[in-house]
Amino acid sequence: MVTAATEACRLLTGGEQFDLVLCDLMMPEMSGMDLYAQLHKLAADQTKKFVFMTGGAFTADANRFLAQISNPSIAKPIRAAKLRSLVRDLIQ
């Protein structure tokens, strides 16, 4: 588990493979949208594994971003049962 988008980007572009990536949409240093865009250029296959978490604070850019991608999103606070179901559906 990493807590900074820049660290996640280093791992994901450095060859680390994950079944699923839970990514907050809005983060201080680098947003989930920025991380996704950077990875799309450097390791596009990794972006398919992203699930975006949102706290309801949407900007126009965030709304546009979520409408343009096919990745799922999940609202915070996250219910454990919903997260388990989502993960089960995505990694089968």
Side-chain angles (χ1 to χ4, degrees), residues 31-43 47 52 65:
S31 74
M33 298 174 287
D34 294 335
L35 175 59
Y36 183 93
Q38 190 165 355
L39 284 174
H40 193 65
K41 293 176 191 171
L42 303 171
T47 61
F52 289 96
F65 172 77

Side-chain angles (χ1 to χ4, degrees), residues 31-89:
S31 74
M33 298 174 287
D34 294 335
L35 175 59
Y36 183 93
Q38 190 165 355
L39 284 174
H40 193 65
K41 293 176 191 171
L42 303 171
D45 60 312
Q46 297 287 4
T47 61
K48 298 172 191 161
K49 301 172 184 180
F50 273 58
V51 173
F52 289 96
M53 301 179 297
T54 66
F58 285 105
T59 63
D61 286 341
N63 281 327
R64 253 189 316 279
F65 172 77
L66 289 175
Q68 290 174 349
I69 62 169
S70 61
N71 299 64
S73 63
I74 189 168
K76 294 190 248 176
I78 299 170
R79 303 276 181 221
K82 179 153 176 85
L83 181 58
R84 279 192 297 273
S85 175
L86 178 63
V87 168
R88 191 172 32 252
D89 290 346

Side-chain angles (χ1 to χ4, degrees), residues 9-51:
C9 190
R10 266 193 304 278
L11 286 174
L12 292 164
T13 58
E16 290 284 337
Q17 294 291 312
F18 298 93
D19 294 326
L20 184 73
V21 176
L22 294 173
C23 182
D24 208 329
L25 193 59
M26 305 304 240
M27 298 180 283
E29 192 175 299
M30 172 190 267
S31 74
M33 298 174 287
D34 294 335
L35 175 59
Y36 183 93
Q38 190 165 355
L39 284 174
H40 193 65
K41 293 176 191 171
L42 303 171
D45 60 312
Q46 297 287 4
T47 61
K48 298 172 191 161
K49 301 172 184 180
F50 273 58
V51 173

